[in-house]
């Protein structure tokens, strides 16, 4: 709804790409506890934990939390 793009838009896009390209939806429907383990593995390989938090919030339908997470991120 904005006329300009901000950093949070990139994180949203990244989260959606990861979710759509890498997550086998039917598997996570069968075993919902697999999603956090799957995302934790990405973090273990160097993806910032905030990305995991954004994807988790989006899967849960919590757009406000997904939107707020990048704003609270303090990259090292």
């Amino acid at each position: 709804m904005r006329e300009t793009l901000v950093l949070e838009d990139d994180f949203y896009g990244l989260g959606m790409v990861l979710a759509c390209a890498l997550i086998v939806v039917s598997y996570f429907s069968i075993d919902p506890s697999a999603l956090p383990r799957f995302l934790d593995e990405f973090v273990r390989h160097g993806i910032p934990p905030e990305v995991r938090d954004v994807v988790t919030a989006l899967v849960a339908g919590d757009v406000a939390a997904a939107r707020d997470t990048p704003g609270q991120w303090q990259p090292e």
Side-chain angles (χ1 to χ4, degrees):
M1 294 193 191
R2 294 182 310 270
E3 292 188 25
T4 60
L5 296 175
V6 295
L7 179 63
E8 291 84 357
D9 297 321
D10 290 334
F11 280 104
Y12 177 81
L14 174 62
M16 292 309 296
V17 167
L18 287 173
C20 293
L22 301 175
I23 296 175
V24 181
V25 175
S26 61
Y27 179 73
F28 293 125
S29 298
I30 294 169
D31 183 7
S33 68
L35 179 59
R37 294 191 317 265
F38 184 80
L39 294 173
D40 286 342
E41 193 65 21
F42 276 105
V43 171
R44 190 173 77 75
H45 288 286
I47 299 295
E50 291 80 8
V51 174
R52 175 196 54 210
D53 298 342
V54 169
V55 172
T56 301
L58 290 172
V59 169
D62 189 352
V63 176
R67 187 179 304 129
D68 292 341
T69 299
Q72 298 168 4
W73 182 21
Q74 299 298 319
E76 296 175 5

